[in-house]
Amino acid sequence: MKDVTQDTILVHAGRDPRNNHGIVNPPVYHCSTVLFPTLDALEESDRNSFEIVNYGRVGTPTTAAFETAVAELEGGFKAVNTGSGLSAIAIALSAFTKAGDHVLITDSAYGPTRRFARETLAAYGVEVEFFDPCIGAGIASLLRPDTSVVFLESPGSLTFEIQDVPAIAAAARTVGATVLMDNTWATPLFFRPFDHGVDVSIHAATKYMVGHADAMLGVITCRDEATWSVVKKTAVRFGVCAGPDDLYLGLRGLRTMAVRLRQHQDSALALADWLAARPEVTRVLHPARPDFPGHALWKRDFTGSSGLFSVIVNPVPRKALAAMLDGMELFGMGYSWGGFESLILPTRPAAVRSATRWTDPGQVLRLHAGLEHPDDLIRDLDAGFRRMNAAL
Ligand SMILES: Cc1ncc(COP(=O)(O)O)c(C=O)c1O
């Protein structure tokens, strides 16, 4: 598809009705064994196992449909599917590291990303160092000839620091490091990693791509053939693949992602405005708000904001926090985000940092604005604050 917007790519990519009896959506192939009619065909498929359907784990037309759609949307060479966002992160980190390498990871990264690096990569002889997410071009002072990977997550999904991706990527290039980015928050609609120097873009497709909190899915999109080949071979060696029905849910989610995201964005901004005026709230951590420290970078590099942000409320006894959270009617309390439903989660950023310190004494609450009407969500939050105050 040439000269079409991302909204249109979302509707058409990965579909081929003309070769599928005119049926709008691609079929879901449930597959392990693939049968070959001749020895020649078997051997040909072994020689080209990434191009020819050879075995269910390596790729099927269902896998290809999802990967093609994401790669097209993101403007990358090709994508690789995985069974969860975390497995996408683990595969991408593993693909570009070996014993003796040094890797740099943003201090604001998703907790399990840190844990994989510290407990698995380090055990295999990789030196893992975390850096201040606001370091920008200053990362040059941490880069070494043996730095093989710089891992970004912008904004960080608890505290929302925006990274100067182009400056970090340019510095990383001087030592030949591969730049990986967890782009789950923005989706390819609101941040285009390859335009900003990133080599490999990683998504927990579990979130906005699936969009309905009913499947686990990951995807890794690569800038060019060389990076894709490294990632694909690593994923195949690890035996990673998503299930066909989850891939289909990812593909189906993509069709409506643009309209859903516009609503998530608007509702999150409405909630953030309302929360900013509350006496209980000391700070709103939302990159699209002008009072947020990373706002200028967000405005320069991003084209929108999603539904996930945090607020810091005055410290309250656990009993008062529980009074608020236990009684919420619309906001659910639970991990993940990106589905149609609103979520609220108390978090402790200080516990998942090492290069920087999180010193704010307030209680961080992470919110995901779902697709309920924002007025109803505000009423739910208002009642929650009243319960909290009554319990003080
Ligand atoms: C920023 C970010 N990246 C990756 C993941 C992992 O995704 P999954 O839950 O699909 O493994 C999450 C999950 O919450 C996340 O918030």
Side-chain angles (χ1 to χ4, degrees):
M1 268 177 287
K2 284 211 174 74
D3 300 328
V4 295
T5 65
Q6 284 178 304
D7 286 20
T8 303
I9 291 175
L10 280 172
V11 172
H12 289 273
R15 295 204 288 117
D16 188 9
R18 283 197 194 158
N19 288 313
N20 179 34
H21 312 285
I23 296 168
V24 168
N25 284 293
V28 181
Y29 286 87
H30 291 89
C31 160
S32 57
T33 301
V34 177
L35 300 175
F36 302 94
T38 62
L39 184 59
D40 277 355
L42 176 78
E43 289 175 352
E44 173 63 7
S45 114
D46 285 340
R47 277 192 295 275
N48 292 302
S49 62
F50 295 169
E51 275 77 46
I52 296 171
V53 180
N54 167 272
Y55 183 54
R57 181 175 3 93
V58 182
T60 68
T62 308
T63 326
F66 176 68
E67 291 172 348
T68 303
V70 174
E72 233 176 274
L73 181 66
E74 201 143 45
F77 171 70
K78 272 189 189 178
V80 176
N81 80 91
T82 67
S84 71
L86 183 57
S87 69
I89 290 163
I91 292 296
L93 280 169
S94 304
F96 297 100
T97 48
K98 61 180 186 321
D101 284 353
H102 168 245
V103 306
L104 286 166
I105 299 182
T106 172
D107 211 25
S108 55
Y110 174 58
T113 302
R114 295 177 63 100
R115 209 168 304 133
F116 177 78
R118 285 165 81 126
E119 295 177 16
T120 300
L121 284 187
Y124 284 100
V126 176
E127 188 185 338
V128 176
E129 183 177 355
F130 294 93
F131 65 89
D132 180 345
C134 302
I135 199 167
I139 199 153
S141 65
L142 303 180
L143 287 163
R144 310 188 324 209
D146 59 353
T147 306
S148 58
V149 161
V150 177
F151 187 97
L152 313 177
E153 180 184 316
S154 184
S157 56
L158 289 187
T159 43
F160 298 92
E161 292 92 340
I162 295 285
Q163 304 196 247
D164 191 339
V165 177
I168 295 174
R173 206 163 303 119
T174 63
V175 298
T178 304
V179 180
L180 315 182
M181 177 168 173
D182 183 332
N183 191 28
T184 304
W185 182 85
T187 83
L189 294 175
F190 292 158
F191 185 82
R192 295 185 59 82
F194 304 120
D195 294 348
H196 294 89
V198 171
D199 298 304
V200 176
S201 170
I202 303 162
H203 292 274
T206 307
K207 318 297 183 212
Y208 288 118
M209 291 189 182
V210 166
H212 294 70
D214 53 3
M216 303 297 304
L217 193 60
V219 63
I220 307 164
T221 314
C222 303
R223 166 190 288 287
D224 54 28
E225 186 165 5
T227 41
W228 174 80
S229 172
V230 175
V231 171
K232 177 69 182 170
K233 286 177 184 161
T234 307
V236 168
R237 280 196 298 266
F238 272 93
V240 165
C241 61
D245 295 317
D246 291 343
L247 285 161
Y248 180 76
L249 289 174
L251 204 50
R252 190 165 82 152
L254 287 175
R255 307 298 174 212
T256 56
M257 189 168 76
V259 277
R260 285 187 284 108
L261 265 185
R262 284 196 275 271
Q263 187 59 52
H264 287 296
Q265 166 170 254
D266 290 352
S267 295
L269 287 168
L271 296 187
D273 279 351
W274 181 83
L275 285 157
R278 289 293 305 197
E280 299 86 352
V281 173
T282 56
R283 279 166 71 199
V284 177
L285 309 179
H286 191 312
R289 286 180 59 83
D291 58 357
F292 187 71
H295 178 70
L297 281 179
W298 173 81
K299 209 166 168 189
R300 186 191 70 187
D301 294 344
F302 288 70
T303 53
S305 58
S306 66
L308 192 75
F309 67 102
S310 287
V311 293
I312 307 182
V313 297
N314 286 316
V316 290
R318 190 176 178 286
K319 181 170 67 88
L321 183 63
M324 176 183 194
L325 298 179
D326 294 359
M328 301 302 289
E329 287 187 346
L330 301 178
F331 280 87
M333 194 171 16
Y335 296 103
S336 203
W337 44 280
F340 53 78
E341 81 289 18
S342 289
L343 296 169
I344 188 164
L345 188 72
T347 71
R348 290 194 310 126
V352 282
R353 281 179 181 252
S354 53
T356 53
R357 288 184 65 220
W358 182 264
T359 52
D360 196 307
Q363 171 66 55
V364 181
L365 292 176
R366 190 179 74 175
L367 290 97
H368 180 250
L371 302 179
E372 303 92 336
H373 196 288
D375 292 349
D376 297 327
L377 295 175
I378 285 172
R379 271 195 297 278
D380 202 25
L381 287 171
D382 185 48
F385 281 126
R386 277 191 273 116
R387 284 192 304 278
M388 175 191 269
N389 293 330
L392 287 174

